[in-house]
Amino acid sequence: MSTCMENTDWDFLLQFVSEPLEMEFSDVPERPVAERTRSAVPVQVPTPPDSFTSSPVDPPAEEDTLVSVSTTFFPGAHIHSYPPDVVLLSSDSIFFYVHTRALLRVSENNFGGLLPLSPKPTNGQLGPVLAVPGSSTVLNIVLHAMYDMPCSHYSPSFDSLATALSALTDYGVSLKRHVSSSSALHSLLLSYAPLCPLELYTLAASHDLYDLAVPTSSHLLSFSLASLTDEMADRIGAIYLKRLFFLHFGRADALKRLLLPPPHPHAATNDCDFTEQKRLTRAWALASAYLAWDARPDLSTNAIESALAPLGDQLSCEHCRKALRDRLKTLIIQWSAVKRTI
């Protein structure tokens, strides 16, 4: 009975196996098991590598080399009709594609001795890369000045502009020509006059840029000459230091001289004789002495009017009031005409 039960169990299990086998091999002719085993083609399976052997790694792909190029002086820039023939490399690895003839035209020492006296024809090909000292910011200002192009849209700092002037001198560029009153670099430097007038005046004096020092000096009227250090005085130099002192002392003396005359007296009347008019003269003398005692070169016309105009409130004579107004008006016009620059 056990044999019968085993056969029944196997038949029950084989009914689930027979169906997929028939579906999978329905197109394959039936062959004896022994024959199928003999006709099988042996397949060689590659031996897996040892566990301690590292897996093969693909060689890393070559990384793209990044090159930083000036946004103004790049190979395709239409600065001149002819293509650039020399490349300048700044200390911070920025490339500038420029023209030898353009640099030699404004340089008196072959761009600091880096360029040949007479450029050789390159047939449209670039020459060697020349490494130049200084950052890309300074070199950018230098090249814009040599090409007579504005660079204000880069908003360079004052320190960068000051360094660029020294670099232009090293490259044999005439500052009096390229930092003249009509140049873009002159306007850019002058924009720093309200922010750092002493530094700009010192910079102009050290390079003998008179056209730059003159408008800058008007921003130094409120500067205290007593605060000048020996280092500042040495950098400014004797000539421009003397001009600055004469500007301050000259305006102070001019103010004292203009304040001295009192209002012009009017003809005597029944209500206001010459004795009465002396009150206005004394009041004017006291008020003007107050202004002259602390005469500052930057004294404004509003300060003068605020100190002298209230004198009229103490006058009952209309002729005296008119004389005071006329004198004050003349004083303001004369003070406004006094020279404000070196």
Side-chain angles (χ1 to χ4, degrees):
M1 181 173 177
S2 61
T3 304
C4 181
M5 291 183 62
E6 291 178 359
N7 293 336
T8 304
D9 293 338
W10 281 107
D11 292 340
F12 176 76
L13 294 174
L14 289 177
Q15 70 177 350
F16 296 100
V17 179
S18 62
E19 294 181 359
L21 290 175
E22 292 176 359
M23 293 177 62
E24 182 178 358
F25 301 101
S26 59
D27 297 333
V28 181
E30 285 281 346
R31 289 189 296 175
V33 175
E35 184 179 353
R36 283 182 285 170
T37 304
R38 286 193 302 268
S39 63
V41 179
V43 178
Q44 184 177 2
V45 178
T47 303
D50 297 334
S51 59
F52 55 82
T53 303
S54 60
S55 302
V57 180
D58 294 335
E62 295 183 1
E63 297 182 358
D64 296 335
T65 302
L66 297 179
V67 177
S68 300
V69 182
S70 167
T71 57
T72 299
F73 302 95
F74 56 93
H78 299 288
I79 301 177
H80 283 286
S81 57
Y82 48 90
D85 57 357
V86 66
V87 183
L88 303 180
L89 178 62
S90 63
S91 61
D92 50 354
S93 302
I94 305 297
F95 291 88
F96 294 79
Y97 292 75
V98 293
H99 311 79
T100 303
R101 284 176 288 180
L103 301 184
L104 292 178
R105 187 173 61 250
V106 297
S107 175
E108 298 175 356
N109 62 358
N110 305 327
F111 199 69
L114 296 176
L115 298 177
L117 289 174
S118 55
K120 298 180 181 180
T122 58
N123 298 325
Q125 297 181 355
L126 286 172
V129 177
L130 303 178
V132 297
S135 64
S136 58
T137 302
V138 174
L139 183 58
N140 186 54
I141 300 172
V142 168
L143 294 177
H144 275 80
M146 298 183 72
Y147 279 81
D148 196 19
M149 298 166 55
C151 62
S152 56
H153 52 285
Y154 288 101
S155 301
S157 65
F158 177 79
D159 292 337
S160 298
L161 290 172
T163 306
L165 291 190
S166 300
L168 284 169
T169 304
D170 295 337
Y171 294 136
V173 180
S174 173
L175 293 184
K176 291 187 177 181
R177 175 185 173 187
H178 289 82
V179 195
S180 61
S181 57
S182 59
S183 66
L185 186 54
H186 177 275
S187 301
L188 181 57
L189 285 165
L190 197 58
S191 65
Y192 283 94
L195 302 176
C196 43
L198 181 61
E199 291 79 3
L200 182 57
Y201 184 82
T202 303
L203 179 65
S206 61
H207 294 287
D208 193 18
L209 298 175
Y210 181 76
D211 291 340
L212 181 61
V214 169
T216 304
S217 63
S218 64
H219 296 274
L220 289 172
L221 295 178
S222 60
F223 178 74
S224 175
L225 296 178
S227 62
L228 269 176
T229 63
D230 294 341
E231 181 183 0
M232 293 178 183
D234 184 62
R235 290 175 56 195
I236 294 175
I239 296 178
Y240 284 87
L241 187 61
K242 182 193 71 172
R243 289 171 176 171
L244 183 59
F245 270 77
F246 277 21
L247 171 63
H248 279 237
F249 295 156
R251 284 183 60 86
D253 291 340
L255 178 61
K256 295 176 183 178
R257 186 176 63 254
L258 295 176
L259 287 170
L260 186 59
H264 190 72
H266 61 82
T269 62
N270 296 330
D271 297 329
C272 184
D273 54 11
F274 291 107
T275 304
E276 188 68 21
Q277 294 181 42
K278 288 182 180 180
R279 294 177 54 191
L280 175 58
T281 303
R282 288 193 299 267
W284 177 272
L286 290 174
S288 61
Y290 168 78
L291 292 175
W293 178 262
D294 189 25
R296 303 193 315 272
D298 64 331
L299 186 65
S300 64
T301 56
N302 290 333
I304 296 176
E305 188 173 4
S306 299
L308 299 177
L311 298 179
D313 298 338
Q314 308 298 325
L315 301 175
S316 58
C317 176
E318 184 61 31
H319 296 287
C320 291
R321 290 180 179 178
K322 184 178 184 304
L324 176 62
R325 288 194 300 267
D326 293 343
R327 179 67 185 91
L328 185 56
K329 180 179 179 181
T330 303
L331 174 61
I332 290 176
I333 294 175
Q334 291 175 336
W335 178 240
S336 300
V338 175
K339 190 178 180 181
R340 296 176 56 86
T341 61
I342 58 174

